[in-house]
């Protein structure tokens, strides 16, 4: 019986995170490598223009080239999506258990995403906080499943493996919050 390597992440020499941004005009790939001993961080990146054609093959090629330019050391990548078709709403609901909340959001979705079939949508939510009047504030995100599937297919065809998918604006917020942990100086994100 092979024992699992339970301490791999604790004792590994470095952690690597790779982000891929597929924009309207270019593909950006960034890698952050953080060494534990000595504690250092390195950033490498690559940018490739997509051009006016914006065909499937052109985008896949740009992902491959930007990944090569960034000299990425992991094929697991983090993606983000953007666009007017992404619905983000703060909604107030009665306080519910998680299983009740999922069912409630199925009905509430029609109110916030009229005319869309819930089967064609990816829906996620987070309970932000509870109110004193037995209600809670929920952050709801909904977008068409096809948008995510298209991004995943592009990245897979470029030989990479999607690790996570997030929304551009939330990625920026998370980057800002993470940077605040490391530095109290002026920073650019």
């Amino acid at each position: 019986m092979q024992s699992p390597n339970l301490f791999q992440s604790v004792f590994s020499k470095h952690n690597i995170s790779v982000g891929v941004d597929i924009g309207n005009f270019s593909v950006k790939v960034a890698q952050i490598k953080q060494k534990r001993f000595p504690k250092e961080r390195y950033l490498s990146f690559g940018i490739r223009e997509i051009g006016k054609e914006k065909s499937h093959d052109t985008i896949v090629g740009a992902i491959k080239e930007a990944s090569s330019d960034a000299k990425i050391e992991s094929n697991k990548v983090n993606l983000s999506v953007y666009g007017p078709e992404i619905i983000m709403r703060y909604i107030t609901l009665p306080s519910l258990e998680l299983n009740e909340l999922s069912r409630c959001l199925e009905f509430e979705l029609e109110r916030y995403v009229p005319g869309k079939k819930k089967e064609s949508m990816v829906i996620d939510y987070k309970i932000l906080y509870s109110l004193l009047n037995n209600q809670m504030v929920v952050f709801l995100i909904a977008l068409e499943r096809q948008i995510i599937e298209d991004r995943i297919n592009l990245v897979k065809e470029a030989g990479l493996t999607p690790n996570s998918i997030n929304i551009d604006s939330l990625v920026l917020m998370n980057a800002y919050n993470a940077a605040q942990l490391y530095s109290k100086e002026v920073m650019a994100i």
Side-chain angles (χ1 to χ4, degrees), residues 25-29 45-49 62 65-67 69-70:
F25 305 103
S26 64
V27 170
K28 284 83 62 190
V29 176
F45 61 91
I47 301 172
R48 288 297 173 127
E49 288 187 21
E65 291 170 2
S67 297
D69 292 348

Side-chain angles (χ1 to χ4, degrees), residues 4 8 20 36 46 60-61 67 80 91 105 120 128-129 173 184 187:
Q8 180 178 359
V20 176
R36 293 186 187 268
V60 170
S67 297
S80 64
I91 59 175
L105 286 175
S120 69
L128 298 178
Y129 52 88
M173 182 185 71
K184 299 297 179 199
M187 67 186 100

Side-chain angles (χ1 to χ4, degrees), residues 91-154:
I91 59 175
T92 303
L93 297 170
S95 291
L96 301 167
E97 297 294 323
L98 285 179
N99 60 345
E100 295 173 314
L101 178 58
S102 293
R103 284 182 279 162
C104 177
L105 286 175
E106 287 183 28
F107 295 107
E108 288 290 319
L109 187 63
E110 179 60 34
R111 203 166 144 198
Y112 298 101
V113 190
K116 300 282 185 178
K117 293 182 179 178
K118 62 184 172 197
E119 298 82 29
S120 69
M121 302 293 288
V122 174
I123 304 156
D124 200 2
Y125 60 89
K126 180 169 178 59
I127 300 171
L128 298 178
Y129 52 88
S130 296
L131 300 171
L132 295 175
N133 59 355
N134 203 26
Q135 292 189 322
M136 60 185 179
V137 176
V138 177
F139 185 55
L140 173 70
I141 298 175
L143 68 150
E144 291 188 36
R145 184 174 307 282
Q146 191 63 47
I147 295 169
I148 291 178
E149 288 174 358
D150 289 347
R151 290 291 163 104
I152 288 172
N153 289 335
L154 288 167

Side-chain angles (χ1 to χ4, degrees), residues 34-102:
Q34 183 170 350
K35 290 188 175 185
R36 293 186 187 268
F37 303 107
K39 195 167 185 153
E40 297 173 333
R41 286 185 298 251
Y42 300 96
L43 172 68
S44 60
F45 61 91
I47 301 172
R48 288 297 173 127
E49 288 187 21
I50 294 173
K52 294 178 183 177
E53 184 181 332
K54 296 182 186 175
S55 72
H56 185 85
D57 292 339
T58 303
I59 296 170
V60 170
I63 295 169
K64 288 179 180 180
E65 291 170 2
S67 297
S68 177
D69 292 348
K71 297 177 177 58
I72 63 172
E73 297 175 33
S74 172
N75 71 336
K76 290 185 179 181
V77 298
N78 304 300
L79 304 170
S80 64
V81 293
Y82 63 93
E85 58 277 339
I86 297 172
I87 293 123
M88 295 187 286
R89 300 280 188 270
Y90 293 98
I91 59 175
T92 303
L93 297 170
S95 291
L96 301 167
E97 297 294 323
L98 285 179
N99 60 345
E100 295 173 314
L101 178 58
S102 293

